[in-house]
Amino acid sequence: MNDWTITILLLAIFIGGIVLLVIWVQSYDSRWRARYAQALAARENELVGMIADSVGLYRDGIDETRPPDVVVGQSALSARYYSNVLPDTRAKYHILNADHYTQICQLARREAVIRMLESARDMGCNAVCNVQIDSTDMGHTLNRAQRAMVMITATGTAYRIQ
């Protein structure tokens, strides 16, 4: 083998390694979101029978012996900072990032509501009314595709139905 053949072979191995690394990092994000969504689904299944309304009215059958109480659930999730913050002019990349940000927001919202309901359950309540969901974008926010972190807060009034 001559020197050019060895150089080309080593370059091909190096480029192949980089391609495999990029594919692994992208698939890691997808696997993480899938595992996180499964964990949230398991926690949601434990909350079967809990009631949550955005309407600020109590349902019939409220337990008058237990006063209502405020419950709060919060979740903060972040995207991979450098891949979503460093600007890139390719349109397809921005679409992928916006989709990634939307998925992060959906997961954070589910987490905040689950935490709120778990807090209500731990207090002995089985219903929450007047649920309010607030969100805050944190980090670099020049445009939607470059946002790095979202914080969602779910607040409601917990009470017990007999």
Side-chain angles (χ1 to χ4, degrees):
M1 281 191 182
N2 61 24
D3 290 342
W4 282 106
T5 307
I6 293 173
T7 303
I8 291 173
L9 182 62
L10 290 175
L11 185 62
I13 291 171
F14 178 73
I15 291 173
I18 289 175
V19 168
L20 289 175
L21 180 64
V22 168
I23 291 170
W24 181 82
V25 166
Q26 290 175 347
S27 67
Y28 175 80
D29 275 353
S30 298
R31 290 191 314 267
W32 174 85
R33 283 194 303 272
R35 283 193 311 268
Y36 189 71
Q38 288 174 347
L40 289 178
R43 288 171 62 194
E44 285 171 335
N45 286 337
E46 294 174 5
L47 295 169
V48 171
M50 293 288 293
I51 300 168
D53 286 328
S54 60
V55 180
L57 302 172
Y58 298 121
R59 292 185 178 230
D60 291 335
I62 185 170
D63 183 359
E64 301 280 341
T65 62
R66 191 196 183 295
D69 208 346
V70 174
V71 287
V72 177
Q74 251 182 351
S75 177
L77 292 180
S78 63
R80 288 183 299 128
Y81 189 78
Y82 290 109
S83 69
N84 289 322
V85 174
L86 294 177
D88 192 331
T89 57
R90 294 175 292 168
K92 182 178 180 184
Y93 182 80
H94 286 292
I95 291 170
L96 290 174
N97 278 346
D99 182 50
H100 180 76
Y101 178 75
T102 301
Q103 291 173 2
I104 291 290
C105 287
Q106 291 168 346
L107 290 173
R109 182 171 192 233
R110 282 177 67 191
E111 174 78 22
V113 170
I114 288 170
R115 287 183 178 189
M116 179 192 66
L117 291 174
E118 287 173 340
S119 178
R121 180 193 60 199
D122 294 345
M123 294 168 45
C125 298
N126 60 2
V128 179
C129 67
N130 200 23
V131 175
Q132 301 289 319
I133 309 267
D134 296 311
S135 67
T136 304
D137 292 316
M138 305 166 93
H140 192 276
T141 58
L142 285 179
N143 61 51
R144 186 173 183 205
Q146 293 179 338
R147 292 183 184 151
M149 180 181 278
V150 63
M151 179 160 29
I152 307 285
T153 304
T155 310
T157 304
Y159 62 100
R160 177 133 188 96
I161 298 175
Q162 295 176 342

